[in-house]
Amino acid sequence: MLRNKDILELKRRFKKENCTITRMCGCYVDASKNKVVELSETFLNLEDEEFFKYLEIAKKTLSGTIGNNLLELHFASEEEEPGGKQQYLLGLRESGLKNPELLAHLYDRIIENYDYVGNYLILVFHDAYDVITKTNDDLKLDESEEVFTYLLCAICPVNLSKPGLGYRADLNRIGIRVQDWVVAAPDVGFLFPSFVERSADIHSLTYYVRDAKDSHRDFIEAALGCGAKRTATEEHNAFRSIVKTAIAPIIEDSDEMLINIQEKLNDIAEEHEAAMEDLVIVEPEEFTLTTEIIKEVFADTKLPDAAVMQIQDHFTEEFSDKPPVVRNLVNEKAIEKNNKEKKEIKLLEEVASLKQELKDTKQENEEKTEQIETLVKMEAPLDPEEAKNWAEVFLRMKPEKAERVKFDTIDGQKYLMIPMEEDEHVNLNGVER
């Protein structure tokens, strides 16, 4: 299985002091698929400026994420027979890129099968890496384990530079800049054989693709003789399309359901990984999606059984060659973004709730303050000036009680008659009676 540490070990050699690339050949192809020019160079004899530019291209061809930009592809069985593409690549490797006919065959095969509109440059590097033995704790021993001889091929678009103004030294003036054809970073490429566990695996090659949305599957099969393999991005997009096609007509917010599906798949993947850790399996098999897992994922949703069956059927049809890896279907960035948005919404709701509580508390305190001030006014001695405007008797009582109050004159004296029940109380100027 392809490992990051093996790729990094090779990339560390693409430095001036460590580089042992023996030869570099190439072919410049125009938009009409014509070979414009071919090159063949002893790599270490290049001028420094060119040396570092080519070395940067070689390094870029081994960049990216394993399973997404870097795929370990295996040759079809017939391609390992005499006359097969694996046998041809072995011959090209052994020739050290010094056989023009073998090189021309490689260029022709790429030109015939590489679907690209525009000019591009095919580059092939040959190197022999003396792999030093390492101990279990990665300490190097001063002895060779094997010599890893390999080919590294890069296909780079060649684009016309953008028009613009610039200093024209030949005219000593500012004028229209002369446009050049500029070699861009590799679009696709491959390493043959693969470098697996610090050793050559002649039954596979490591394929590089810059845009993980399109692995150029036809090119893989026709030009390289390997079984096509989807990138993680392609698997994710294909499964997402299957689900969205099924749920969009019946679910108003399909994006929310897609995120929920992502979270469930992530939980299932984490549970599986934890179980594998407990079993202490050094190289566990890839955990791939099945129709049973799909059924489990949609079990708690409101999706009709017919829609779930549609997803299962389309999934089986789309991934008939090889089921996708569950982890590849999980968009961790989307889940993280969704969780962040949920936290922000919850925080806003909590803030709004606290603001309402403060408002209610403030209103309640104002009402209590007003009641207290009223009571104080009732119980406090009146100001002489203010008292002039007050009646000698000021009463507060319930309306139904006020209806029963009577006025009477006894022996020429006015009286106010207030009937009282046994359980009723009177507060006279703050004194209970």
Side-chain angles (χ1 to χ4, degrees):
M1 182 182 292
L2 203 59
R3 306 180 305 176
N4 275 318
K5 62 190 301 185
D6 295 324
I7 297 297
L8 291 174
E9 184 172 346
L10 286 183
K11 288 177 71 174
R12 279 194 290 267
R13 299 178 45 71
F14 297 151
K15 297 179 181 178
K16 181 72 173 179
E17 61 273 17
N18 298 331
C19 182
T20 58
I21 294 176
T22 56
R23 196 162 190 79
M24 180 190 72
C25 296
C27 176
Y28 177 44
V29 183
D30 66 17
S32 300
K33 296 185 177 293
N34 299 312
K35 298 177 185 176
V36 178
V37 64
E38 295 185 28
L39 59 147
S40 180
E41 304 282 352
T42 301
F43 194 74
L44 296 177
N45 291 343
L46 291 171
E47 295 291 333
D48 277 358
E49 194 169 344
E50 288 187 5
F51 176 89
F52 287 114
K53 290 297 181 184
Y54 283 121
L55 203 59
E56 186 178 341
I57 290 174
K59 189 174 182 179
K60 196 70 177 177
T61 313
L62 291 177
S63 63
T65 306
I66 291 177
N68 208 32
N69 306 100
L70 293 171
L71 302 175
E72 184 180 3
L73 305 179
H74 295 270
F75 291 100
S77 56
E78 62 271 17
E79 300 295 352
E80 297 194 359
E81 301 293 331
K85 295 182 177 65
Q86 183 242 29
Q87 293 294 302
Y88 159 75
L89 287 173
L90 285 171
L92 184 61
R93 181 186 69 159
E94 295 306 314
S95 74
L97 301 183
K98 293 179 181 179
N99 187 320
E101 292 182 1
L102 292 178
L103 279 167
H105 181 64
L106 174 65
Y107 301 150
D108 290 341
R109 220 166 63 217
I110 291 174
I111 292 169
E112 181 182 351
N113 296 288
Y114 180 53
D115 185 17
Y116 181 78
V117 179
N119 301 359
Y120 58 90
L121 174 65
I122 303 170
L123 290 175
V124 189
F125 304 87
H126 180 274
D127 189 17
Y129 171 32
D130 192 9
V131 183
I132 301 299
T133 303
K134 287 186 177 181
T135 61
N136 291 334
D137 54 0
D138 279 346
L139 294 176
K140 292 182 179 180
L141 300 178
D142 193 18
E143 58 183 61
S144 176
E145 188 168 322
E146 72 168 89
V147 176
F148 174 59
T149 306
Y150 65 93
L151 303 174
L152 184 63
C153 177
I155 304 176
C156 308
V158 179
N159 304 313
L160 193 62
S161 61
K162 293 181 180 180
L165 292 173
Y167 173 66
R168 295 287 302 273
D170 55 337
L171 302 175
N172 192 30
R173 64 183 294 271
I174 300 297
I176 296 298
R177 186 177 63 188
V178 177
Q179 290 181 267
D180 297 320
W181 289 96
V182 181
V183 178
D187 183 41
V188 298
F190 66 87
L191 168 74
F192 174 78
S194 288
F195 189 55
V196 179
E197 295 186 1
R198 309 191 72 241
S199 183
D201 178 7
I202 63 171
H203 304 292
S204 71
L205 59 78
T206 300
Y207 178 73
Y208 167 79
V209 59
R210 181 186 61 81
D211 184 3
K213 294 177 183 176
D214 182 10
S215 61
H216 301 274
R217 301 180 73 195
D218 292 339
F219 174 76
I220 290 173
E221 294 177 344
L224 304 179
C226 295
K229 187 176 182 180
R230 285 183 171 94
T231 65
T233 300
E234 286 177 319
E235 289 186 344
H236 177 272
N237 290 344
F239 182 70
R240 177 185 173 87
S241 178
I242 290 171
V243 174
K244 194 154 190 175
T245 300
I247 70 175
I250 53 180
I251 301 294
E252 184 175 350
D253 192 353
S254 58
D255 288 338
E256 183 179 354
M257 176 168 279
L258 285 168
I259 285 293
N260 292 336
I261 293 168
Q262 292 271 310
E263 291 176 340
K264 289 182 180 180
L265 287 171
N266 187 52
D267 292 341
I268 291 171
E270 288 181 348
E271 288 174 6
H272 176 79
E273 289 162 5
M276 290 300 100
E277 287 180 3
D278 293 340
L279 294 175
V280 196
I281 299 176
V282 179
E283 289 187 9
E285 294 183 0
E286 289 183 326
F287 180 45
T288 56
L289 189 66
T290 63
T291 53
E292 289 74 19
I293 295 176
I294 292 175
K295 189 174 181 180
E296 179 185 347
V297 167
F298 288 96
D300 298 330
T301 65
K302 297 180 180 179
L303 205 63
D305 292 341
V308 177
M309 286 297 296
Q310 178 185 335
I311 293 171
Q312 290 177 317
D313 292 343
H314 288 178
F315 163 78
T316 302
E317 180 181 350
E318 177 70 24
F319 294 98
S320 58
D321 53 341
K322 186 180 184 300
V325 176
V326 174
R327 180 55 71 186
N328 291 347
L329 307 181
V330 177
N331 188 336
E332 294 181 358
K333 289 184 178 179
I335 293 175
E336 183 180 351
K337 180 182 178 183
N338 185 58
N339 290 337
K340 184 179 179 182
E341 289 176 353
K342 285 182 178 178
K343 288 180 180 178
E344 289 176 351
I345 291 172
K346 185 178 180 181
L347 183 61
L348 289 173
E349 290 175 348
E350 290 176 351
V351 170
S353 177
L354 287 172
K355 284 183 176 179
Q356 185 61 44
E357 286 182 14
L358 287 172
K359 184 178 179 181
D360 293 343
T361 302
K362 182 180 179 182
Q363 184 176 352
E364 184 180 346
N365 289 338
E366 288 176 350
E367 291 175 354
K368 288 182 177 179
T369 301
E370 185 178 350
Q371 292 175 359
I372 292 171
E373 289 175 350
T374 301
L375 289 174
V376 169
K377 283 183 177 180
M378 291 174 60
E379 298 176 6
L382 291 177
D383 181 86
E385 293 297 323
E386 186 179 357
K388 294 177 180 180
N389 301 320
W390 277 63
E392 285 74 9
V393 178
F394 181 82
L395 302 176
R396 290 173 61 90
M397 62 184 68
K398 296 178 181 179
E400 59 270 21
K401 191 72 174 177
E403 292 176 354
R404 298 175 60 193
V405 174
K406 295 181 180 180
F407 294 90
D408 201 355
T409 302
I410 301 175
D411 297 332
Q413 180 67 46
K414 289 182 179 180
Y415 288 91
L416 185 65
M417 312 294 289
I418 304 175
M420 299 291 296
E421 303 294 337
E422 291 185 2
D423 58 344
E424 290 181 331
H425 301 280
V426 175
N427 185 307
L428 180 61
N429 292 339
V431 180
E432 292 285 343
R433 294 180 181 272

